[in-house]
Amino acid sequence: MADEPGRGDSSSSTGTVAFTAKLNIDDSYPKYRGVLKFATVLVNEGGGYSPGTGIFTCPMDGFYHFTVYVSVYGCGQCGINKNGEKVVSLYHTTLPDKRSQVASMGSVIKLSKNDEVYVHLWGADRNDIFATEDNDTVFVGVRLG
């Protein structure tokens, strides 16, 4: 997927770094703690995002804006981590009504080349995060001007 032409998956000659990646339907309701992998890549300008690992590796110094939108049916908790340290996090519950909703978080983060940013899951009882044909869970990052 990441090697399909026309999606900006190589180094950018303009200095643009941006990615959008979606959670695959089959990866819904993860039962683990750790990096959430967004395997469907829509844009990967600058080539920093790896769908195989779920990790964005910074290709050039700068300020970056990251946003995560998670569809939740139950309880959802995750954070945006930089080099293993939590930057921001969210906890969202649809209980007791158990209706699907979308929660979001974002942050501007100063990065140096090779810094790593990813979405970190907290644990099995807090990962009612999902994707369907009608509901996406998305990780977005862009280098600011």
Side-chain angles (χ1 to χ4, degrees):
M1 273 185 214
D3 295 327
E4 291 177 16
R7 294 197 338 206
D9 294 331
S10 60
S11 296
S12 172
S13 62
T14 64
T16 301
V17 179
F19 73 90
T20 299
K22 298 184 341 180
L23 186 69
N24 281 351
I25 294 170
D26 293 343
D27 295 329
S28 294
Y29 302 100
K31 299 296 182 201
Y32 60 89
R33 178 185 174 120
V35 180
L36 183 58
K37 295 177 187 174
F38 297 81
T40 300
V41 177
L42 303 179
V43 173
N44 195 11
E45 187 70 28
Y49 181 74
S50 169
T53 65
I55 297 173
F56 170 77
T57 303
C58 180
M60 63 175 59
D61 296 358
F63 287 93
Y64 289 75
H65 184 258
F66 295 93
T67 309
V68 178
Y69 303 96
V70 292
S71 294
V72 179
Y73 187 78
C75 295
Q77 187 169 17
C78 59
I80 297 174
N81 282 23
K82 171 189 170 186
N83 297 329
E85 298 294 323
K86 179 177 67 174
V87 177
V88 293
S89 63
L90 71 76
Y91 175 79
H92 184 77
T93 182
T94 62
L95 301 175
D97 296 334
K98 200 89 168 178
R99 293 185 178 131
S100 65
Q101 296 181 3
V102 174
S104 63
M105 66 179 154
S107 183
V108 172
I109 305 172
K110 185 176 183 180
L111 297 179
S112 297
K113 187 173 182 176
N114 296 321
D115 280 345
E116 294 182 338
V117 176
Y118 56 90
V119 177
H120 181 264
L121 295 172
W122 291 83
D125 293 336
R126 302 182 232 175
N127 292 342
D128 294 329
I129 296 168
F130 72 97
T132 68
E133 288 185 27
D134 299 323
N135 295 287
D136 289 314
T137 289
V138 182
F139 184 26
V140 177
V142 63
R143 182 175 181 265
L144 303 175

